Amino acid sequence: METRHLRYFIAVAEERHFGRAAQRLHMAQPPLSQQIRQLEEQLGTLLFVRTTRKVDLTPAGQLLLERGRRLVEELEALESDVAQVGAGATGVIRTGFTGTATYRLMPLIVQAARRSHPGLRITVQGEMLTPQMEEALEDGRLDVALLRPPVRSTEVELKFLEQDQLVAALPADSELAEKGVLDIKELADQDFMGYPAHSSVNTIFMDACRQAGFQPRMVQEAKETSTLLSLVAAGMGIALVPMTSRMFTFQGVVFRPLRNPPPVDLAVAWNRNNRTPLIDNFLALFDTLPNIAPGSPANKGLNP
């Protein structure tokens, strides 16, 4: 049974008239009558009782109408769903977010997606490090990632979103908290908490310390910014974190800007071999975020 035969049959069954059904289908009546006869021959049964005055359904025709309607509705829904998936308007996209982007940008992205692509479902892995996300993009466990460059993989493409900078997170009772702006070299004798050694922010932090002439004394590592700030609040030492970490409110932690602070970029990344309409539509959402300006500081000022 061909789909067109089923559509022709439903039109005749609903109109109970071949002429009106032909008009509805934008075709002549004789070809329509021929198509219905072919369907009856194929099924081996009469679907209509025809008289000069009316057309009625046989029991077989009634069954075909009831179940045929459902089949056509499901087929039309399938056609629509396939078209939407092909256009990237619906589907599942797996995303990874670094540090504070999990809390600052992820809610904005999800809200933007719900407004413009209600059929899109986003799964989120938060507080990830750049090497983790880079590997997940390579092996297909993530579709898109918000990370902090650099990346080493030639398979990963980047679109820069904004430039952040490192600030000092200090215990509130630290003598350094009394100063407005700090030089990195003033921190040489401090105990440091930091991100894991292979993370992008740690690389930037270590380079800044070397340029200031010292090797930082690391006492604790943590991949989550919230954990680092908790340790600072506990008085274990200080940490250099992206300026956007100020969104975390911890009693006992103060933030102080650095003179000539090391820049920390934020970028959205994807696998160049896995670019799909769905990913394209998701990436376009970042152009709609009000607080994202490519190449500009994430925050222009920091009050001591």
Side-chain angles (χ1 to χ4, degrees), residues 239-257:
L240 296 191
V241 295
M243 185 186 291
T244 46
S245 300
R246 292 177 303 156
M247 67 178 296
F248 293 103
T249 55
F250 281 86
Q251 185 174 3
V253 177
V254 296
F255 296 94
R256 292 295 178 263

Side-chain angles (χ1 to χ4, degrees), residues 18-210:
F18 277 87
R20 289 195 298 270
Q23 291 178 348
R24 170 174 156 181
L25 294 167
H26 305 289
M27 63 186 299
Q29 181 176 333
L32 175 60
S33 299
Q34 183 179 3
Q35 294 292 328
I36 297 299
R37 283 195 296 271
Q38 288 179 2
L39 178 59
E40 290 176 321
E41 291 172 1
Q42 181 182 358
L43 295 175
T45 185
L46 289 176
L47 301 173
F48 295 104
V49 177
R50 302 165 176 84
T51 69
T52 56
R53 302 183 64 180
K54 62 179 181 177
V55 175
D56 284 329
L57 286 168
T58 66
Q62 186 63 45
L63 175 64
L64 183 60
L65 177 61
E66 293 172 0
R67 296 180 63 177
R69 280 171 171 163
R70 292 199 296 268
L71 288 172
V72 170
E73 289 173 358
E74 290 178 4
L75 180 61
E76 290 175 347
L78 177 61
E79 291 173 348
S80 175
D81 290 347
V82 169
Q84 289 194 55
V85 170
T90 188
V92 178
I93 191 158
R94 300 158 300 170
T95 61
F97 286 79
T98 184
T100 56
T102 305
Y103 307 97
R104 188 171 66 91
L105 295 183
M106 186 268 287
L108 299 177
I109 285 294
V110 172
Q111 291 170 4
R114 291 181 65 183
R115 287 194 301 268
S116 58
H117 302 296
L120 178 63
R121 185 163 67 89
I122 304 173
T123 63
V124 176
Q125 296 184 55
E127 293 262 15
M128 297 182 71
L129 300 175
T130 292
Q132 290 177 297
M133 289 186 279
E134 185 177 352
E135 182 178 344
L137 289 171
E138 286 182 315
D139 62 25
R141 288 180 288 116
L142 287 181
D143 299 307
V144 175
L146 255 73
L147 50 73
R148 298 198 182 278
V151 297
R152 296 174 176 80
S153 174
T154 58
E155 296 180 25
V156 175
E157 285 193 276
L158 299 176
K159 176 182 179 181
F160 286 86
L161 297 177
E162 63 183 18
Q163 188 178 88
D164 206 338
Q165 53 190 230
L166 291 184
V167 297
L170 312 168
D173 59 0
S174 169
E175 293 182 2
L176 294 173
E178 299 176 3
K179 298 189 175 184
V181 180
L182 299 172
D183 284 316
I184 292 181
K185 61 184 178 181
E186 293 182 79
L187 311 177
D189 61 346
Q190 298 291 312
D191 290 333
F192 281 89
M193 277 83 66
Y195 298 97
H198 59 287
S199 72
S200 295
V201 174
N202 182 76
T203 300
I204 294 169
F205 158 61
M206 296 296 288
D207 287 344
C209 291
R210 279 193 290 270

